């Protein structure tokens, strides 16, 4: 490992920590007064970005299996840029709009006994998917960044070793992002 690798690895851990702290801060700080009108389009855009990333990750795998390294790299860069855009939109949306409650059919921010009964066990399925999505999204960020570092510096064997773990987790996070969006969107209050 050379000096550049050490620098980038430290940078990766700093970026990961900053992203984690920002997401935690979103839960703790009150939203600013007044919401821009475009804020309510962001969940739909975010869902679309996750769906696109899911497809691109599969396409990237197909390219590398066919030994088309250039197409693999381009596809991964596009996926990475879309994922970064997702993160910006996620932060922006959750700065203004706090969490939607699964099962809140009347959109009042509270769950009545009738709403809880209507959501039933499906609510637990949603929370399982959401919790695994969140935990793995946090865990995969440094793996993705390290795999990019190794891939672009053509450390192929080291890249393969980390991608063995990063790829399925990133794909799971992208796919479950779409599932979470589809499950929660009926309860949006906008």
């Amino acid at each position: 490992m050379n000096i550049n690798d050490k620098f980038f690895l430290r940078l990766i851990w700093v970026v990961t920590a900053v992203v984690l702290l920002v997401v935690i801060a979103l839960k703790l700080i009150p939203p600013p007064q007044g919401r821009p009108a475009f804020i309510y389009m962001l969940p739909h855009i975010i869902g679309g970005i996750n769906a696109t990333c899911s497809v691109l990750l599969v396409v990237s795998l197909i390219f590398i299996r066919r030994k088309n390294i250039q197409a693999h790299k381009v596809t991964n860069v596009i996926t990475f840029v879309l994922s970064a855009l997702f993160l910006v939109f996620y932060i922006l949306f959750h700065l203004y709009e706090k969490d939607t409650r699964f099962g809140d059919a009347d959109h009042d921010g509270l769950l009545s006994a009738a709403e809880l009964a209507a959501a039933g066990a499906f609510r637990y399925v949603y929370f399982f998917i959401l919790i695994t999505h969140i935990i793995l999204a946090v865990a995969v960020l440094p793996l993705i960044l390290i795999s990019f570092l190794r891939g672009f510096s053509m450390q192929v064997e080291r890249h393969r070793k980390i991608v063995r773990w990063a790829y399925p987790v990133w794909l799971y996070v992208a796919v479950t992002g779409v599932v979470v969006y589809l499950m929660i969107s009926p309860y949006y209050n906008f």
Side-chain angles (χ1 to χ4, degrees):
M1 182 181 307
N2 63 36
I3 193 92
N4 281 343
D5 285 349
K6 288 181 182 178
F7 168 77
F8 283 114
L9 286 174
R10 285 186 183 124
L11 183 62
I12 286 167
W13 290 110
V14 167
V15 167
T16 300
V18 167
V19 168
L20 183 57
L21 290 173
V22 167
V23 171
I24 290 169
L26 289 172
K27 302 290 182 192
L28 303 174
I29 60 172
Q33 294 297 327
R35 291 176 172 87
F38 72 87
I39 286 297
Y40 299 112
M41 294 185 322
L42 291 181
H44 311 298
I45 294 169
I46 289 167
I49 289 173
N50 271 326
T52 303
C53 287
S54 300
V55 171
L56 289 174
L57 286 168
V58 172
V59 168
S60 173
L61 179 64
I62 291 168
F63 282 141
I64 201 62
R65 294 256 165 106
R66 292 183 178 171
K67 309 255 187 269
N68 189 340
I69 294 168
Q70 187 59 34
H72 172 74
K73 282 184 175 183
V74 168
T75 304
N76 283 337
V77 168
I78 293 168
T79 308
F80 182 80
V81 168
L82 284 173
S83 293
L85 194 58
F86 157 85
L87 183 59
V88 169
F89 289 166
Y90 176 90
I91 290 169
L92 189 58
F93 177 74
H94 285 284
L95 175 66
Y96 285 97
E97 189 67 35
K98 296 308 171 188
D99 295 334
T100 300
R101 298 181 130 211
F102 187 86
D104 184 15
D106 63 6
H107 311 292
D108 66 354
L110 303 170
L111 289 175
S112 67
E115 288 171 324
L116 281 171
F122 205 54
R123 189 169 155 78
Y124 297 107
V125 172
Y126 168 78
F127 282 122
F128 175 79
I129 294 169
L130 178 64
I131 289 166
T132 58
H133 170 81
I134 292 168
I135 291 169
L136 292 174
V138 170
V140 81
L141 178 58
L143 297 177
I144 292 168
L145 295 173
I146 292 168
S147 69
F148 263 77
L149 172 66
R150 292 179 179 170
F152 278 101
S153 60
M154 292 307 293
Q155 299 174 29
V156 176
E157 283 309 310
R158 293 179 80 203
H159 174 72
R160 282 185 187 150
K161 283 181 182 178
I162 199 154
V163 167
R164 197 171 293 140
W165 297 98
Y167 177 82
V169 176
W170 193 5
L171 183 60
Y172 178 85
V173 168
V175 170
T176 57
V178 176
V179 172
V180 166
Y181 164 74
L182 292 173
M183 291 178 81
I184 197 67
S185 61
Y187 303 110
Y188 287 144
N189 62 357
F190 44 86

